[in-house]
Amino acid sequence: MKNNFHTLKSTPIFSTDSEMRRERDLLGERNVPADVYFGIQTLRALENFQITGITLNHFPCLVKALAMVKKAAALANGTLGYLEPAVQDAIAGACDEIIEGKLHDQFLVDMIQGGAGTSTNMNANEVVANRALELLGHQKGTYKVVHPNNHVNLSQSTNDVYPTSINLAILLSYNGLVQSMEALCIEFDKKAEAFTRIIKMGRTQLQDAVPMTLGQEFAAFAATIREDVARVKELVTLFKEINMGGTAIGTGINTDPRYRQLVVKALSDISSIDFVCAENLVEATSDTGAFVIFSGVMKRIAVKISKICNDLRLLSSGPRAGLNEINLPPMQPGSSIMPGKVNPVIPEVVNQVAYQVIGNDLTITMAAESGQLQLNVMEPVIAFNLLQSIRLMTQAMHTLAQRCVSDISANEEHCRQMVENSIGLITAVNPFIGYENATRIARQALMTGASVKQLILEEGLLSEEELSDILAPEKMTQPRKVSSTSQA
């Protein structure tokens, strides 16, 4: 079979009819379209890393984070006298525009890339430099005035800019995740309240267990998600410790001794997030522990929400040959061949999101383990997967809440009938007739098809009044004191 991967290299990224400007780097000279804000190093990255098709601008928070870091560095360098005021202000002005959402279409490097994020850093450096040049009245590419490396990247390395930007992007993104989780909990809470009097069978190992209310089931869904809202809020504080000022490996080479504290303070002011400088910058430059821990929580959320979706699909199975205890809102026809079939498409898509997030966690784990010595070059795939997990789970929670849970209804009579016909009722009666009697009644009910209630009354083990009291829904679904004299 013919291999067509070679065509990537020869595919032109831009029209050859575009007006060009000439730029130079370590490897030589190249033509760059005159109207773009990025430069030669970004151009090479675009050619080298045609991998996912998912570019930096797919994650606006990351682009904004890069601009905030570049602005903080410019302000710190300006304060120390290493940048002329006009150049500092032009760089800061360009960064402000990016923070506001402008020029994001110029951040085109693939999220997965070689070079430990250098292409991402240079994409930012070149865009900021060329926009700063325009603000100063110069043409793009006039790098003697504002240079991507000498000015925009002054006192920096990819190895402190990139991880700091990832940290900041997560801090800018996580609130949407928290909001979607809390909104889903609210919808579960509403259903818990609406279903509080609906008695149904609880199940363990897919077998009848003991009665509960449908409200209790939905309240448990809310509780388990709410637990992880707290975990997310706790763990994001790890990302407030950054390695800015460490430059290449954490030693701070090419920086003023005062720069470290100034740039951290500037970034805190710009982002309104209280960042702190890592105590050991050499350790912080290669450490990816915070990403691993946070990804673990994302996996935990994914596992929980997938389990909930499995439950919703089971509870709504049928409608004639399944559990059919609840009805999910019909969202679309379910089959091209079976008329009338409607599928649980929203829980299904959330299941698939959960599987992706679980897989992302494994990728992040392997990437974190693969770092060597003073740097982890696999940070691009860590950033891609973690930011993707946050985005996917945010959207999945919102979709589940608004397009499924909010309109779930219950089949109350069907739920009650299954309770009344269930052998699981024997557990509620067990303290009153004794284990031996309860076991015998349960076996007999299973063999004959008679109801537990009918058999107990026939044997005179309890009166109708006593049995009705014991089997009252509110008494079967919560603790109650049982007199020792009632044991048979």
Side-chain angles (χ1 to χ4, degrees), residues 42-203:
T42 301
L43 179 64
R44 294 192 191 280
L46 294 178
E47 295 170 342
N48 290 334
F49 308 127
Q50 296 185 39
I51 305 298
T52 67
I54 300 174
T55 52
L56 300 177
N57 56 24
H58 281 73
F59 296 96
C61 285
L62 178 59
V63 175
K64 292 178 181 180
L66 286 161
M68 289 181 181
V69 170
K70 293 299 171 183
K71 180 179 179 179
L75 296 179
N77 284 314
T79 299
L80 294 169
Y82 294 107
L83 284 180
E84 296 178 2
V87 173
Q88 172 201 284
D89 291 345
I91 292 174
C95 290
D96 283 337
E97 291 185 359
I98 297 168
I99 293 167
E100 293 168 2
K102 299 176 182 178
L103 300 177
H104 282 215
D105 62 341
Q106 300 296 302
F107 289 79
L108 293 174
V109 176
D110 199 288
M111 283 293 295
I112 297 183
Q113 57 195 253
T118 297
S119 295
T120 293
N121 188 32
M122 286 309 303
N123 195 165
N125 288 333
E126 291 173 343
V127 172
V128 172
N130 281 306
R131 180 54 186 153
L133 285 168
E134 285 187 335
L135 294 175
L136 290 171
H138 297 277
Q139 291 186 343
K140 301 182 189 73
T142 316
Y143 293 144
K144 289 183 179 180
V145 180
V146 181
H147 193 280
N149 297 82
N150 296 338
H151 298 109
V152 181
N153 199 61
L154 182 62
S155 304
Q156 302 153 67
S157 164
T158 296
N159 302 345
D160 59 358
V161 167
Y162 190 59
T164 296
S165 298
I166 299 170
N167 282 16
L168 178 50
I170 292 169
L171 288 165
L172 294 174
S173 303
Y174 89 94
N175 195 52
L177 172 65
V178 168
Q179 289 176 353
S180 69
M181 293 172 70
E182 290 176 335
L184 178 58
C185 289
I186 289 172
E187 293 301 329
F188 280 134
D189 286 336
K190 290 178 181 177
K191 293 303 169 184
E193 177 66 25
F195 300 155
T196 189
R197 299 292 299 173
I198 298 178
I199 192 76
K200 59 157 284 177
M201 281 305 300
R203 299 175 181 86

Side-chain angles (χ1 to χ4, degrees), residues 301-346:
I301 295 169
V303 169
K304 286 187 175 185
I305 200 66
S306 188
K307 189 270 182 188
I308 290 172
C309 286
N310 291 341
D311 287 353
L312 293 177
R313 289 161 58 203
L314 277 172
L315 294 173
S316 64
S317 60
R320 298 287 178 87
L323 296 184
N324 194 32
E325 293 185 350
I326 63 173
N327 306 300
L328 304 186
M331 302 310 297
Q332 60 190 60
S335 175
S336 61
I337 190 174
M338 293 172 279
K341 190 170 187 288
V342 178
N343 297 326
V345 294
I346 301 302

